[in-house]
Structure formats: C-alpha cells, structure tokens
Amino acid sequence: MQDACGGAAPVDEESTTLEQRRGIAIDSPIQAYLETLHATYAKVCDGEVATYIPELAKADPEWFGISIATTDGHVYEVGDTRQRFTIQSISKPFTYGLAMEDRGRDAVLEKIGVEPTGDAFNSISLAPGTGCPLNPMINAGAIASASLVAGRSPEDKLERLLAVFSLYAGRALDIDMPVYESESLTGHRNRAIGHMLRNFDILTEHPDPTLDLYFRQCSISVDGCDLALMAATLANGGINPRTKERAVRTDLVPSILSVMTTCGMYDSAGEWVYWVGMPAKSGVAGGVLAVLPGQLGIGVFSPRLDAHGNSVRGVAVCKELSRTYSLHLMQASRAARAGIRARYTLASISSRRLRHERERKRLDVIGDRALVYELHGDVYFPAVEPLVRELVDTSAGVDLAVIDLKRATRVEDAAGRVFFELLQRFDAAGKHLMFVGLQRHAALRRFLEEQTSASGQRLRGFTDVDAALEWCEDALLRADGSTPASDTVVALADHDVCRGLSPAALAVLEPLLEPRTFSAGELIIRKGDPAAEMYLLMRGEVSVTADLSNGQLQRFSTLAPGMAFGELAVVNRGHRNADVRAMRAVECYALSTAALDRLGDTHPAIKITLLENLLRNVARMLGRANQELVTLASDGAPPLAPSAAVPFAKSA
Ligand code: DON
C-alpha cells in the first residue's frame, strides 16, 4: 500500500518489535526528488535535436538523464544516464585547463581572452587587431585552446587529451568515430574559423591538425554520469572524487570555472547565471554540465536544444535544482561539509541518565540503531546531503535519528525541506527522526510544524541533545523489551552499593541507614552545603544539576533506583559541588559519614565492600566518559570540555 510520499504504509510501531523493524530501509528523498524532476521535464518537448552535424540527428529526442555527483564520489542517477552521446562543447573547459597546464596561464591569456561575447557558439568573435578569440568557450577560442595542447605529434596530443579527459571521468574515454567523421566532413565553419586564427597567428601552423584534434575532442563519447563526475572533479579542486586521481592543477580550476560562469552558456550566459548561478557548459549533442565548487557536479543529457544550442530540459532541470536546493553561488554563505560537527551512535555516546550495568550492556549492543548528528554553521543542502545519504544507506539498521541544530547558525529552507522529507520516510517506516535546538530556528520550526500537522506526522523536538539521547535510550530499551530502571523499586540487597554483602552483613548495615522520602521537585542536596552523608536510591529518580551563569540548568546526571548519590561526601568530607533534586517521588536511605566510620571500626570488611562498590561505579563512569571523549575527538569534533569532571559531578 502506498502513502502520500509514495513510500511504504506506516508501520504500527507498537506492534513491531526491534526485530521486525530490522531490515526496513527508507528511500532517499534526494533520489525521489530527482525522479519527480525527471518525470516532470520528460514531458517537455520543446527544442530540436541538432542536425548541422548529420550524425547527431540520429539521436532519440526522448533520451533524458539526470546525474549528480558529490565531491566524496557518490552519484545520484535517474533516466538515461548511461546513454552515450558526444561531449561536443562541454569539452572546451577541459581543453582550456590542459592548455594552461601545458603552456602556462599567461601564454594562454596572450592568445585567448576571457570576455563573454553575447554571441552564438560558432560566431567568429575575434578581438579587433589581435584576432584573439574573445573567450575559450566559443568555437574560435576552443580551437585555439586545442592548438596549445602539448605533444610531439597530433597522435601524441590526442592521446594526452584523451588521457586527461579520462582522468576527469574516472574511466577510459574513447571517440565516437561516426560523429567525428560526420563533423570533420561538415566542419566548414570551423575550418573558416581555423584559417582566420591562422591568419592572425593565433594558430602558428596550418589549422588542419588543430581542427582535427578539435573535432576529435568534440566527438569524445560520454554519458550523463561521466559529465557529473567530470563536474565533480572540478568541484573537488581538480581531483576525481572516485579515483582520487588528479586531472588538473588546483590553482587552474578557478580560471576554468570563471570562464564557464561568464561564457559557458554563450548568449544566454546572463540568464543562466541569474537563474542557476553555477559555472556550466553545454554541448550540441544535448549535454549540460554544472559545477557547485567544493560540493557537487551535475550532468544532464537531453538532445532537444533551444535557439542558443543549449539542452532545453538540461537548462530547466538545472534551474529547478538550483532553486530547490539553493545551489546559486551568490547565496549568503557556502560553508560546505562544515555542517556536520559530530556524528555518533548511542553505542558510543550516552545521555546523562546513568544506567545500570545490564541496561548499559544492552545499549552497547543496540545503541547503534540510533544515530546522532550535531550540525554547526550555515546548514545548506550540500552540508545535509551526506547526512541524508548515510541515513538512507544505513536505514535498515537504524530506528532513531537525532539532528542537533543547537550550534547551527542558520538552516537554509532547502535543508529544512529535506529534513521534512526524511522525517516522512522515517515515520512511514515506523522509525523516528527528531530534532534538537529547533527553538533557535523559528522559521524551520514553523515550517516543520505546519508540514507535520498537515501530513499527520509527529514532530519530536528537544531543547538539548542530552534529553534526546535519553529519550532514544528509553525507546530502544523499551522496544528491546526491558523495563526502564527508573520505574522499578529496589530492595537493599539488590542495591549497587550492597553488591556482595551477605544477609548477615546487610543486617549490620540496615540499622545504620536512615530512611528518607522526598517529593518530586524537592531539593535533596544543595551545592555548597557540608557533605556529611551519602544516599542509596531505592525508588524514584534524582538528577544532579548546577545552575549555569545564563540561568539555565545544567544536568550532570540522572540516577535510577539501585544507584547511590552524594557518595563524594564519603571521600572528601568537604562541601557539595552540585545540587541533587528529586525528579519524582523518592525513597532512599541516608548513610552518614559518621555511621560509616563507626562501621569501619566495627565491621571494616563491610565498609571496604561498600567503598569497593562505590569505586567500581566511579571507574565505570570514568571509563565511559573517556570512551565518549575518544568518540567525539575521533570525529574531529573537539572533545566536550570539561567531561573529565562530569563523573564526579554526576554524584555531587
Ligand atoms: O564545433 C561545433 O560546432 C561542435 N563540435 C560543438 C558545438 C557545441 O557543442 C555548441 N554548444 N552548445
């Protein structure tokens, strides 16, 4: 049965245990969007297939494919992305880069300008006097670029050019000979341009070998996926994101992208920059390539061309992508990838709710079913894409995901839309996607509230990540069939501190314990008070907290029945370093330091056992805190300062 998003019908989470939910994966909202885009523009039948190169006229006008490659090598594809076609003018930026690499930027600038012409791609736009082509994206400039490719012979130059293009694509490219022959046979206008360039000594030899190289470069056979990877290679500073091989020097990339921005779409470059805002290049076989520096590359293929020789569907799809995902270069700030500050699971990081060893051990096993992302800076689509992809790829094994936006300075609308689409898919699969820090992002919260109430999904938001972690831990434990410890009542013999005590020893200890009860919200321990007793929690729940200078309450830990608090008194006999408050009705035993000292005199073995149990707990907490430090540090995120102190503060 299909639901509104076209995904699987919602799974009744109560009736589905963790086991039954295992293996349910969600589809990618980004892939789904591309499929919608393809379906929409496949209906657009404006434009004609190019015929001035006869072989090109054989193309099927309905061929249509969209590919997006990210700078870490992931490729999204929909439609005819593996349909081969000839690269045509999309070859020009790559040959321009090669010419600069072989001859040096200045030598190339002496021969080829960087000014847009506002004319068609095959216009004979040469600078008056010098005869220099105005830019390398028009045929004249491209032919000049081809003449600057190094090589002892035409074969040598071709081999070098093909090798470099193959580095961009990440696979060995070859030439579509029927198209090459067709163009070579009909390339009269280009020959005219070649001779004009020879006339002005832009070409220093007979133009034919250069024209032949140009016709061959235009006839290189590619597909939409190749274009996206070639674009992503430019976006990635000249290194192919999949093969990690370098195709061009990083310092030349800005020059290539600049002429693509100003001249790449010929006499519609202005329109293009205005509506799409990415460096791009089109080809008469129907390819369009666009680059978002530092983030991704786009390759669209559809042979139907507009009057400028640009793919109709290609231009429309890029406009839509740029609008939907805010890819326009002139956006306020583009802090790619800086978005993910930390990412971890509940197996490696825990909430400040202290868990009994049994629960802790279960969470170490099932905790990786909950993924947490802490985002920071400006959160744009490119920063969110890796998160979405990982959640989609791991969704069969993930039930809960937390997106912490507390350190995000801004969440761009497109990112918000993707979050909602992700939430829908999680919900439909009986899983939960939740947010932290929505209180700092009013527009996003309003958007998510409106969308979720309209679609009947539930928006789960938390003010801080600790509360979200605790909710997830409880949810995983509940789904795992275990009763949260906080709902239990513990007998003295089962208390952590009494572990290993015989009934006889318990009989000695019990009279020293003073029963206490506290109502919910009541302060049990006040920071600064003298520390003269510790407590054994038997029923209810307490939290160790401190007031922060900004008036907020910092939770150090929450304890459940069977745990002890205030035990630092036993060690330092000093003053309390945090408050302890009853979070619900509490029953506990107080053991004064005086009584403990007396016990030490009368029954030293019992006291030692008590102290050993306390030490074991502190050691377990310390071990856990160090493991969490390592997890956060290894993710490149600075360790949570001052976590080392937390274990002790956890107990006041
Ligand atoms: O030189 C030509 O005319 C073709 N090989 C390339 C032209 C082209 O791709 C123009 N782009 N839109």
Side-chain angles (χ1 to χ4, degrees), residues 52-53 88-90 92 121 139 183 190 214 218 266 281-285 308-310:
Y52 76 99
I53 299 170
Q88 295 301 333
S89 285
I90 298 173
K92 296 170 178 174
F121 67 85
N139 287 12
E183 169 142 24
N190 283 327
Y214 171 74
C218 289
Y266 308 120
K281 191 72 206 79
S282 64
V284 281
H308 305 287
N310 302 325

Side-chain angles (χ1 to χ4, degrees), residues 265-277 308 315 319 328:
M265 302 302 274
Y266 308 120
D267 43 350
S268 66
E271 273 265 324
W272 176 271
V273 171
Y274 190 94
W275 293 113
V276 182
H308 305 287
V315 171
K319 274 187 184 166
H328 200 296

